[in-house]
Amino acid sequence: MTSTGDDMIQELRASCTELVRRIARLPLSIIEGISRAIGHGAPRRGPQNLQSQQQPGLLMIPEEWLFVTLLEQQYGSTHPFFYACRFLEALRIAKDESKFVFLYLHAPDNPYTAPFCRDTLRSQLVVEFLDANFVSWGAVADRGEGSEMAVTLKAGSFPFCAVVAPTSGDSIAVLQQVVGPVSPEELVNILQKTIEEHGSAFRASRTEEEENRRANRQLRVEQDAAYLESLKKDKEKDRAQQRLADEMARAATERRKKANNERLQRNPPPKQLSSKTKDTSKEIQRKETVTSSKTKSTTKILIRFPNGQRIEQSFLCTDTIRSIFRYIDSLDIPGIGSYRLISNFPRKVYGYEQLEMTLKDAGLHPSATMFLELLQ
């Protein structure tokens, strides 16, 4: 190749290599939305989807393995270790290992992809450096999560690489972007400078985060201990109050007993009746009480029938009108079918609607006269 050709390639490489040093914060909700969206729709069809169209079997490969499969089919198995997972999971792994994420979006049909993968990505220098210092993650730029990440990171040219840091908040930090063809030495140099510039701040952030977590755990432990101590004091206070209340109750009982004894000494009770006299008196009182109770609770009802017959029957005042109907039905008097009862002074009619009314509530206690009226 002529020197003019070499100059043109160098100029083209210089014009296509874009080093963007910035810190951009992307909400994790966007990344989570990207991961959830994968598999819920057909892959994009466009000018850069020719590789999938030429190899229909790739459509059966899980999204997480598609990039690695394409890379190894075209360029062999020598490459950095790329995690076959969702981007959010790669972020979690990087956070656990206190590393940055090296993100690579693979555009198979881009003219600069082949030399980048063959000469740079497979370089032993790049492989060893990435495996030692980064959690590497890759995706096809026009498929699934790779397509969404290309839109989110505004990847306008390829090859596209980025250095992403997991942060403690609700965002991620994009620390560096490398766009276009780049040599192994240039890529490692860029990545090394990124680590030097942002590694200390990242480690300090992780240290602060860990200290905050420890402080929060210690605070929770102290709060729990204070709560348990307060609960213990409250229980001891309740027990002391209960003991005081019990002592006061016993003292009050002793005072009442003492006062009763003193009163009995001053006013002794009359002589007790003999056992026989006492039993006789109790029996008389019981009989009087029963007789009085029965007299007070008995209701006398005089029933007059259409044939002129009269029958008087006693009921309890708590019995219901239904009891009178049952009594009449039990007499089995010929010619009596459906009927109702009527009382005078004042005149009231008692039918099925009044069956559950007590005699006392119906105004029939202690006595009343009722007429039996046949219904047609």
Side-chain angles (χ1 to χ4, degrees), residues 134-151:
F134 289 87
V135 170
S136 299
W137 181 87
V140 181
D142 65 338
R143 288 289 301 276
E145 195 170 17
S147 175
E148 299 297 338
M149 291 300 297
V151 173

Side-chain angles (χ1 to χ4, degrees), residues 276-293:
K276 184 176 181 180
T277 303
K278 188 185 300 183
D279 293 341
T280 302
S281 176
K282 287 183 178 181
E283 181 65 20
I284 293 173
Q285 290 178 358
R286 188 185 67 78
K287 289 182 179 180
E288 289 178 351
T289 301
V290 172
T291 302
S292 175
S293 175

